[in-house]
Amino acid sequence: MDITPQEENMIKALREAALPPLFVLIRIRNDVSNDTKNVEKSRRDDVVKTLEKYIGPLWEDYHEGKNSQAKE
């Protein structure tokens, strides 16, 4: 999958902000999903599906870690 210059710049900016990876993935997913002007629908759907594959396990890990901290 090729990354557009706009996508590359967005990824660099989020990395430089030192944000948690889960937040970055969710943010990119939402931005791509809502970008009806710059990203064609088929590409948007492919990117969103790919990102959701990575977000799902991280989201579960996040909640498991949060629940275990609450128990302590």
Side-chain angles (χ1 to χ4, degrees):
M1 176 169 74
D2 294 331
I3 296 175
T4 66
Q6 179 185 7
E7 292 166 340
E8 186 175 349
N9 289 335
M10 182 173 51
I11 292 167
K12 285 180 184 177
L14 290 169
R15 280 186 185 156
E16 289 170 3
L19 297 168
L22 180 59
F23 175 84
V24 172
L25 288 172
I26 292 170
R27 176 67 191 265
I28 292 171
R29 182 232 176 260
N30 291 343
D31 286 350
V32 170
S33 178
N34 294 322
D35 190 348
T36 57
K37 188 174 184 180
N38 298 311
V39 183
E40 61 189 58
K41 184 171 176 24
S42 62
R43 177 155 172 84
R44 203 170 50 238
D45 292 343
D46 289 342
V47 171
V48 167
K49 286 178 186 174
T50 301
L51 288 170
E52 286 176 348
K53 288 179 187 176
Y54 292 103
I55 291 170
L58 290 172
W59 188 253
E60 290 173 12
D61 290 346
Y62 169 77
H63 282 288
E64 285 176 10
K66 196 172 178 182
N67 289 338
S68 66
Q69 287 177 354
K71 291 178 183 176
E72 294 174 0

